[in-house]
Amino acid sequence: MNLLHLSFEKKQNFRIERMIKNIFFYFGLALILSLTSCQKKVDLIVHNATVYTMGDNIGKASSFVVDGGKFVAVGGEELLNTYNANKILDLKELPVYPGFIDSHCHFLSLGLSLQKVDLTGTRSFEEVVGRVKDFAKNKKLKAIVGRGWDQNDWEEKTFPNKTILDELFPETPVALRRIDGHALLVNQKALDLAGIGVNTKIKGGSIIKENGKLTGVLVDAPMKLISNILPKPSITEKIKALKDAEKISFENGLTTVSVAGLNKDDIYLIDSLQKSNALSIKVYAMISNSEDNLAHFLSNGPIITDKLTVRSFKIYADGALGSRGAALKSDYSDLKKHRGSFITSKDSLENLAYKLASTSFQMNTHAIGDDANKAVLEAYNKALVFSDDPRWRIEHAQIIDTSDIKLFNRKIIPSVQPTHATSDMYWAEDRLGKKRLQGAYAYKLLLEKSGRIALGTDFPVENVSPIKTFFSAVFREDSNLYPEDGYLPNNKLSKLEALKGMTIWGAYSNFEERQKGSIEVGKAADFVILDRDLLDESKKRILNAKIVATILDGNIVYSNRIN
């Protein structure tokens, strides 16, 4: 009896234990399901990363959450427990930055240049001619167009002459643009079609002659006469150019490009492509200064969409230093009785500044020489007396008389291209002499006066790479690590300042700091992943940094590792 009782008791205890286990199992399952159901469903979680937010605290985070193309949370690994994502990226501590912004470039020109003779990197005029011959071989061309030569890279550092082009192409117009876009070498056929002769004079530039004969070199304003006779790119060619330029930009970590000068037709083409999802990159378009463009946009107002902002005019005060078109206060050191020239006169600059000051449009003015920069600064300061937050920009701000640095202030943003300094350093002293170099490429001084500085490349004049922009800004050396201590080293930017100039300050200079430029809640999920940390690496390793992925509005638009 006792044995039977014990057996029964054991069975009862077993049943009770099993019941308790079942209760805990189902309770635990319910709890897990409850917690899972409480987690908000999102598109993407990025975690285990080194995230430089560039927000107000400039702090590093390790994780962030993206939903609907926006950042919805930024923090640490706890975000994995708070959100349920369709996709989770473990970045193994790779660095993440806000999407890079190129604050001054020629986006359409980059794409179109791929359809022309590439003359970049040529080491002699003979090499230029060789590339032109190879390009034209076995082709029936209405015109031969190229870009990229720079006589400063040649052993013979003088402007070329058209003679051999006349012999090779007597019936086909040839137009070869200098790397900076401010000088053009053409043959006689092009001159004839444009109606340019030895007595032709155009204000705002020069037609170079030797012994009373045309050399075929035109600087600044006269180039327009050649443009008028060359075949215009078709819509199909422009669309291809824009897509090609987008691909290159994404490969380099760019998510926004500030395009320094576009006509209204090209602006509306970009808008239509973006709206049809044929073009994704974000564009800040500066309107080219022409009577037609000015009248149209002042009448119709700015354009602001998620992808496109049009609220500024691009003005040319002068030309470029490399082609001696920059307007200087005194003679060029290597060419006496020559001071360059204004493309837009001082009076016109001032009148335009007053006109735009009463509108919502920025005035973004190209100024290279010290005379041009002074004229623009004076015009800005007069016109902006009653403007609280105009954010008018000086594009390049390249050579400033040290006595004029004080004319910069919080209303005026210097928009500079650090690789210009490390490209020009081989010949800039020849043009300017040592004294004028004290205010040349003076990025640190400009930052101290203006409080912010926007960084770009001026591509295709320089390489598209923001890594090279960062490197030149911080170390003032070129890709050959020259000079060892940096060119004009007192004007180096810190790593953090350079990164701000490529992100949040670039967004600010476009009135877009609330939409982009930092990894913060509510902003567009534009970010870039690198294979090494720009803020925590040695000089040589920074120069060799690679883009791992570029993400635009939460979507991967370029990747060499991530699917």
Side-chain angles (χ1 to χ4, degrees):
M1 191 72 179
N2 287 337
L3 288 172
L4 288 171
H5 179 74
L6 286 171
S7 175
F8 176 78
E9 199 172 67
K10 283 182 179 180
K11 287 180 180 179
Q12 285 290 90
N13 288 339
F14 176 75
R15 289 192 187 102
I16 291 169
E17 284 178 16
R18 188 167 63 183
M19 187 182 300
I20 291 170
K21 285 180 179 178
N22 286 339
I23 289 170
F24 276 108
F25 172 77
Y26 288 113
F27 177 77
L29 181 61
L31 181 62
I32 291 169
L33 290 172
S34 173
L35 289 172
T36 302
S37 65
C38 288
Q39 288 182 320
K40 184 179 177 184
K41 190 75 174 176
V42 294
D43 295 328
L44 172 68
I45 295 176
V46 175
H47 78 108
N48 192 21
T50 304
V51 182
Y52 289 95
T53 65
M54 305 312 295
D56 289 337
N57 60 2
I58 311 296
K60 287 191 293 185
S62 67
S63 304
F64 56 81
V65 180
V66 174
D67 194 51
K70 307 282 187 184
F71 295 116
V72 297
V74 181
E77 298 304 296
E78 75 281 353
L79 295 178
L80 286 167
N81 300 323
T82 310
Y83 293 89
N84 179 19
N86 293 325
K87 188 167 189 175
I88 298 175
L89 291 181
D90 180 350
L91 292 189
K92 312 296 185 186
E93 299 186 349
L94 284 175
V96 179
Y97 308 91
F100 293 142
I101 298 170
D102 192 311
S103 288
H104 183 110
C105 68
H106 301 278
F107 185 70
L108 177 58
S109 295
L110 172 66
L112 289 173
S113 70
L114 302 177
Q115 303 170 21
K116 302 172 183 177
V117 193
D118 180 11
L119 303 175
T120 56
T122 48
R123 292 295 172 182
S124 66
F125 182 52
E126 288 73 26
E127 187 178 352
V128 168
V129 173
R131 290 197 193 182
V132 173
K133 287 169 65 177
D134 290 343
F135 179 83
K137 192 174 182 179
N138 300 323
K139 294 178 184 175
K140 292 182 179 180
L141 300 170
K142 293 181 180 179
I144 299 169
V145 180
R147 178 169 180 159
W149 61 270
D150 184 353
Q151 82 281 5
N152 295 308
D153 293 339
W154 305 342
E155 187 174 340
E156 182 66 38
K157 300 184 186 301
T158 57
F159 274 141
N161 190 289
K162 67 183 178 65
T163 304
I164 192 169
L165 297 177
D166 292 343
E167 294 173 1
L168 291 170
F169 309 103
E171 298 301 323
T172 305
V174 179
L176 309 177
R177 193 176 287 260
R178 191 180 181 277
I179 184 69
D180 59 11
H182 288 268
L184 192 65
L185 172 65
V186 299
N187 65 347
Q188 189 61 45
K189 182 66 176 181
L191 291 170
D192 292 342
L193 290 172
I196 298 173
V198 290
N199 296 318
T200 302
K201 292 184 179 179
I202 301 289
K203 192 174 182 181
S206 54
I207 298 171
I208 308 299
K209 303 171 191 173
E210 286 180 2
N211 301 319
K213 295 182 178 180
L214 296 176
T215 64
V217 175
L218 312 174
V219 179
D220 291 319
M223 295 163 54
K224 183 90 186 281
L225 298 176
I226 299 296
S227 298
N228 291 338
I229 60 97
L230 294 175
K232 299 294 185 286
S234 67
I235 296 296
T236 301
E237 289 170 333
K238 285 185 178 181
I239 291 172
K240 183 180 187 309
L242 290 167
K243 289 183 177 181
D244 287 344
E246 178 183 66
K247 181 176 182 292
I248 294 169
S249 297
F250 285 156
E251 289 171 350
N252 282 278
L254 294 173
T255 54
T256 294
V257 288
S258 300
V259 187
L262 285 169
N263 289 315
K264 66 177 178 21
D265 291 345
D266 295 330
I267 289 171
Y268 285 117
L269 175 61
I270 290 170
D271 187 34
S272 68
L273 292 173
Q274 289 173 332
K275 286 176 176 175
S276 66
N277 296 319
L279 195 71
S280 300
I281 196 164
K282 296 176 182 179
V283 175
Y284 187 83
M286 305 179 208
I287 308 156
S288 293
N289 178 35
S290 69
E291 289 185 14
D292 184 35
N293 287 335
L294 195 68
H296 176 83
F297 283 101
L298 288 183
S299 175
N300 290 279
I303 298 172
I304 299 176
T305 73
D306 289 340
K307 297 283 190 183
L308 177 66
T309 300
V310 184
R311 58 165 303 170
S312 64
F313 284 93
K314 167 70 183 304
I315 320 299
Y316 281 96
D318 63 345
L321 187 65
S323 50
R324 297 188 186 85
L328 301 179
K329 291 183 176 183
S330 56
D331 291 351
Y332 276 76
S333 297
D334 57 357
L335 186 61
K336 299 304 178 185
K337 296 183 180 179
H338 180 74
R339 298 186 179 187
S341 58
F342 279 82
I343 294 175
T344 305
S345 70
K346 294 181 181 182
D347 287 343
S348 296
L349 286 170
E350 192 168 308
N351 291 337
L352 191 53
Y354 279 119
K355 186 172 188 175
L356 293 179
S358 62
T359 74
S360 57
F361 285 92
Q362 270 179 320
M363 185 168 173
N364 298 346
T365 308
H366 162 119
I368 300 287
D370 53 9
D371 200 17
N373 273 286
K374 182 180 181 182
V376 175
L377 285 163
E378 288 180 339
Y380 278 17
N381 280 305
K382 288 177 184 177
L384 296 177
V385 170
F386 299 109
S387 299
D388 293 328
D389 186 24
R391 307 187 196 185
W392 282 16
R393 296 163 48 158
I394 297 188
E395 306 298 325
H396 309 303
Q398 200 160 308
I399 303 138
I400 318 287
D401 188 318
T402 51
S403 65
D404 294 330
I405 293 280
K406 63 181 181 293
L407 295 174
F408 276 92
N409 53 60
R410 300 298 165 121
K411 294 182 181 182
I412 303 171
I413 299 173
S415 171
V416 304
Q417 301 74 47
T419 49
H420 279 339
T422 51
S423 292
D424 296 358
M425 63 183 175
Y426 292 97
W427 47 264
E429 188 174 331
D430 293 338
R431 295 278 192 278
L432 301 170
K434 283 189 176 180
K435 185 177 180 181
R436 279 186 289 208
L437 283 180
Q438 294 174 21
Y441 316 96
Y443 307 146
K444 193 73 169 183
L445 284 174
L446 294 174
L447 174 58
E448 289 170 359
K449 283 293 180 182
S450 295
R452 294 177 179 87
I453 192 166
L455 304 186
T457 60
D458 204 14
F459 73 67
V461 176
E462 299 283 356
N463 191 282
V464 178
S465 172
I467 306 301
K468 291 185 177 180
T469 295
F470 180 87
F471 190 86
S472 292
V474 172
F475 300 107
R476 305 280 286 208
E477 297 176 16
D478 64 13
S479 56
N480 296 315
L481 303 181
Y482 177 84
E484 186 176 352
D485 297 322
Y487 178 62
L488 305 173
N490 290 340
N491 275 293
K492 292 178 180 178
L493 297 179
S494 72
K495 289 181 177 179
L496 186 58
E497 289 165 347
L499 190 55
K500 283 184 177 182
M502 294 159 52
T503 56
I504 191 62
W505 287 345
Y508 178 89
S509 71
N510 292 348
F511 290 90
E512 295 179 329
E513 77 279 9
R514 293 183 180 180
Q515 291 79 41
K516 64 180 70 165
S518 61
I519 298 174
E520 294 184 280
V521 173
K523 291 192 177 184
D526 301 343
F527 59 98
V528 59
I529 305 166
L530 267 63
D531 68 344
R532 64 201 68 183
D533 194 335
L534 296 179
L535 275 70
D536 193 31
E537 282 285 5
S538 66
K539 188 194 310 184
K540 287 185 179 179
R541 280 184 56 79
I542 288 174
L543 188 60
N544 294 318
K546 300 290 188 296
I547 306 298
V548 173
T550 305
I551 292 84
L552 186 78
D553 293 324
N555 298 308
I556 297 173
V557 291
Y558 167 75
S559 170
N560 63 17
R561 296 189 198 176
I562 298 170
N563 296 319

